[in-house]
Amino acid sequence: MKLLRRAVILSHRYLGIVLSLLVIMWFATGITMMYWGGMPRVTPELRLERLDPVDFARVRLTPAEALARAELDTPGRVTLVTLLDRPAYRFGSRDSTVVFADTGDVLDELSLEQAQDVAASFTRMPASQVHHVGTLYEVDQWTLQSRLPLQKFRVDDEAGTEVYVQPSTGDVAMLTTRSSRGWAWVSTIPHWMYFTALRTNQPLWYRLVVWTSALACVLAVLGLVLGVTQLRPRAFRLKADATNRSRLSTAIPYAGAMRWHYISGVVFGVFTLTFAFSGLVSMEPWEWTNAPGLELPRNVLTGGPLDLSPFTAHPPAEWDQVLGNRPAKEVEFARMLDQPYYVVRSSAVERDEGDRERLHQPYPIRHARIEDNRVLIAADTFTARRGLFDQATLVERVRAAAPGARVVESELLSEYDAYYYSRVGQVPLPAVRIKFDDPAETWVYVDPSLSQVVTAINRWGRVERWVYHGLHSLDFPYLYNSRPSWDIVMIVLCLGGLTSSGIGFVLGLRRMRGSVARTLRVREASLKGSPHESQPTAR
């Protein structure tokens, strides 16, 4: 038993020496991520806000004619926006093809001067205050997910803005400021090890995060075991002698810094374990975290691929009438329940905070963003459509797409539930929730305002929601939406874990320094040798 206890002590000690700094960093950056979590990015709201309104008087081509000019088989997502002060169709999302709507010219690649104009227009600054930094053929810290090459520009403004323009699409791929870069360096980057050298080697980064998280779990478990085994139970026995009072303090066999490390470890050790374990779960290292659910076709609520022929030309006066003279910054051409619709977006309220709270979402929420000043226009009548799509029709379409499963419940949610939610109201309401009896017990959420599937969550995804979000950020309904109570609890727990790890790190340094000093003394003594060895041997 003593040998086992000794092994646990040594394992906890030396594993702690190796991992203490990392755990300290996790707790410290966990606090900063409460208020700034996430990498700089161009949000859909910011992109829409910085677009110039579409000048319909200059639109000469219909989207079908522009598609023919682009020589594309399938259009993908199709939008009409303004690029370089000209109306332009975008076909596709990430690797889009651009066709100018006034002349039908297909964008090959922006020149350096044109890229500078795009950056100036996006930042609302004169072109003379936008300076070219260079052409990126390799990703840097802020463009890890961007398509290359990119033109990087620096803006002469108080925010220290830097803009990355994609010359092949004319799109602004990234915008950072001095503040967003600084906060990322003290929050997300160290917390998730988002360093360029690691993130460009995905397998290495994945293994590093998984193994360090797993070892941190082992470290916390060993500490909790020692918290029990090192306690002196005899100290709790009442003694006849009044001077031998039974007190908790006498049951702790340590003094000084080691005593405080023991106390803080016992108090905050469970949180340290759940924090490390939930971080490990977020990397989905086990098969169950990637278990598939009900597979729905992408066109389940559209009725088929997008047909651009119903979208005909309309004079500017008709656009002004249907939009109420509001500017149109983006026009999307969509198909909903077999019918063609224009989705016109005029402006949006920036909600970047909603994305920061879901940096690592165990299940994707697609299209789930509240859109301000959005108008849905029926293409056949060119009139605005009000209200929601019929709930029964949406449910029947989704049910028909999954013939092997039965719908056990469908409900129109007017409030968020435990899986479809956002603290800052990022995801739209109402939403239709459809529960299936398939082996994975899949729940499908539909946005009835756009007839779009928002997300599908199976049983294991719901478990992961509690294991990761619940344990990692105390994302429980009764606490998560109660501020500043949630802030206080999170900060106290993080500071407690940081304190325990910090004391352990100092004790580890002392132990290492003492071990090195003893080793040097022994080595020095061996080099000097014994004084009797230099005397001649008597014959």
Side-chain angles (χ1 to χ4, degrees):
M1 187 65 182
K2 291 183 178 180
L3 183 61
L4 178 60
R5 178 181 295 186
R6 182 64 177 170
V8 173
I9 293 174
L10 293 178
S11 299
H12 181 72
R13 175 187 301 166
Y14 291 107
L15 189 58
I17 291 174
V18 175
L19 291 180
S20 289
L21 270 182
L22 183 63
V23 177
I24 291 170
M25 179 272 295
W26 277 337
F27 280 119
T29 55
I31 296 176
T32 57
M33 287 184 69
M34 291 169 56
Y35 306 101
W36 186 274
M39 299 290 286
R41 75 187 199 96
V42 178
T43 65
E45 292 82 8
L46 178 61
R47 189 184 304 280
L48 183 64
E49 191 270 326
R50 297 297 174 90
L51 284 174
D52 292 324
V54 175
D55 185 357
F56 292 105
R58 300 177 62 186
V59 177
R60 299 287 184 265
L61 277 74
T62 65
E65 294 170 338
L67 179 65
R69 294 290 184 92
E71 299 181 351
L72 297 173
D73 296 329
T74 55
R77 185 173 186 263
V78 182
T79 57
L80 175 64
V81 295
T82 297
L83 176 64
L84 297 174
D85 296 324
R86 300 168 60 186
Y89 291 102
R90 287 190 183 275
F91 298 96
S93 298
R94 180 177 174 85
D95 299 327
S96 60
T97 300
V98 177
V99 179
F100 289 100
D102 51 356
T103 63
D105 295 334
V106 179
L107 175 65
D108 181 23
E109 186 173 290
L110 295 179
S111 66
L112 183 58
E113 291 74 20
Q114 289 174 326
Q116 183 181 27
D117 290 338
V118 169
S121 174
F122 195 86
T123 56
R124 301 288 191 263
M125 297 291 288
S128 59
Q129 294 183 242
V130 178
H131 308 285
H132 184 244
V133 176
T135 303
L136 271 64
Y137 296 99
E138 296 181 357
V139 296
D140 65 5
Q141 185 65 56
W142 318 111
T143 58
L144 293 168
Q145 305 297 325
S146 300
R147 179 186 175 189
L148 300 174
L150 294 171
Q151 299 291 354
K152 181 179 179 180
F153 296 91
R154 175 178 50 81
V155 182
D156 288 339
D157 61 359
E158 295 181 356
T161 304
E162 294 181 351
V163 184
Y164 299 78
V165 177
Q166 199 168 65
S168 61
T169 64
D171 200 13
V172 173
M174 178 57 64
L175 181 145
T176 71
T177 63
R178 186 183 302 108
S179 174
S180 66
R181 294 189 297 270
W183 280 112
W185 276 113
V186 296
S187 59
T188 307
I189 294 175
H191 194 87
W192 288 105
M193 302 182 193
Y194 278 174
F195 304 104
T196 305
L198 281 177
R199 292 294 283 129
T200 52
N201 188 338
Q202 178 72 13
L204 175 61
W205 172 79
Y206 177 83
R207 288 194 296 268
L208 183 62
V209 175
V210 167
W211 279 104
T212 52
S213 300
L215 289 174
C217 292
V218 174
L219 177 64
V221 169
L222 292 175
L224 291 172
V225 170
L226 290 174
V228 176
T229 59
Q230 295 299 96
L231 200 65
R232 294 173 178 170
R234 293 183 179 180
F236 293 100
R237 298 175 182 174
L238 295 177
K239 302 292 184 180
D241 190 351
T243 60
N244 293 326
R245 294 175 300 173
S246 175
R247 297 182 304 173
L248 178 62
S249 59
T250 61
I252 301 175
Y254 301 110
M258 188 62 194
R259 183 183 186 86
W260 287 109
H261 178 64
Y262 177 90
I263 294 174
S264 59
V266 169
V267 174
F268 299 102
V270 173
F271 171 70
T272 302
L273 174 60
T274 58
F275 180 82
F277 178 71
S278 56
L280 173 64
V281 171
S282 73
M283 301 302 296
E284 301 184 340
W286 300 290
E287 185 177 351
W288 67 267
T289 55
N290 294 285
L294 194 66
E295 297 292 339
L296 297 175
R298 295 181 62 87
N299 60 357
V300 59
L301 293 179
T302 63
L306 177 62
D307 179 12
L308 294 177
S309 59
F311 299 98
T312 58
H314 294 276
E318 293 185 11
W319 282 104
D320 290 339
Q321 181 179 359
V322 73
L323 294 177
N325 293 315
R326 286 180 296 181
K329 292 192 172 184
E330 180 185 77
V331 180
E332 181 180 355
F333 305 89
R335 179 173 177 169
M336 305 176 189
L337 297 180
D338 304 316
Q339 300 300 315
Y341 287 93
Y342 299 93
V343 183
V344 183
R345 299 176 177 91
S346 299
S347 61
V349 177
E350 178 67 16
R351 290 186 176 87
D352 187 35
E353 184 179 352
D355 286 290
R356 292 202 293 268
E357 71 180 5
R358 291 190 178 277
L359 175 65
H360 284 268
Q361 177 70 16
Y363 42 84
I365 295 184
R366 301 180 298 274
H367 314 295
R369 303 182 72 89
I370 294 178
E371 295 182 321
D372 308 275
N373 301 318
R374 181 189 67 201
V375 179
L376 201 62
I377 302 173
D380 53 355
T381 62
F382 206 68
T383 56
R385 188 187 191 283
R386 310 295 180 185
L388 307 176
F389 286 92
D390 180 63
Q391 178 182 345
T393 302
L394 296 174
V395 173
E396 176 57 27
R397 286 288 185 104
V398 175
R399 185 205 63 77
R406 183 174 60 90
V407 175
V408 296
E409 179 185 313
S410 63
E411 180 182 359
L412 183 67
L413 302 179
S414 58
E415 297 181 354
Y416 296 134
D417 65 9
Y419 306 98
Y420 179 85
Y421 68 101
S422 170
R423 172 185 283 172
V424 294
Q426 170 191 333
V427 292
L429 286 172
V432 179
R433 184 181 64 196
I434 308 170
K435 297 182 179 181
F436 284 88
D437 68 348
D438 63 300
E441 300 179 11
T442 304
W443 296 5
V444 177
Y445 293 82
V446 176
D447 179 2
S449 66
L450 286 178
S451 179
Q452 289 181 335
V453 173
V454 175
T455 190
I457 313 171
N458 60 31
R459 177 178 65 252
W460 293 112
R462 295 191 292 275
V463 171
E464 188 178 355
R465 175 259 184 271
W466 295 112
V467 175
Y468 172 49
H469 279 299
L471 297 181
H472 205 69
S473 54
L474 300 187
D475 185 354
F476 301 106
Y478 54 85
L479 179 63
Y480 191 63
N481 296 315
S482 178
R483 308 190 74 170
S485 299
W486 176 82
D487 302 69
I488 294 172
V489 173
M490 282 294 295
I491 291 175
V492 167
L493 291 176
C494 286
L495 289 177
L498 190 153
T499 300
S500 178
S501 302
I503 297 174
F505 177 67
V506 172
L507 293 172
L509 287 181
R510 291 179 182 175
R511 176 75 63 173
M512 289 180 62
R513 188 167 58 245
S515 298
V516 171
R518 285 193 300 271
T519 301
L520 291 177
R521 286 196 298 268
V522 171
R523 185 176 181 183
E524 182 180 357
S526 64
L527 290 177
K528 289 182 178 179
S530 174
H532 298 286
E533 294 178 0
S534 60
Q535 299 295 327
T537 304
R539 293 184 181 271

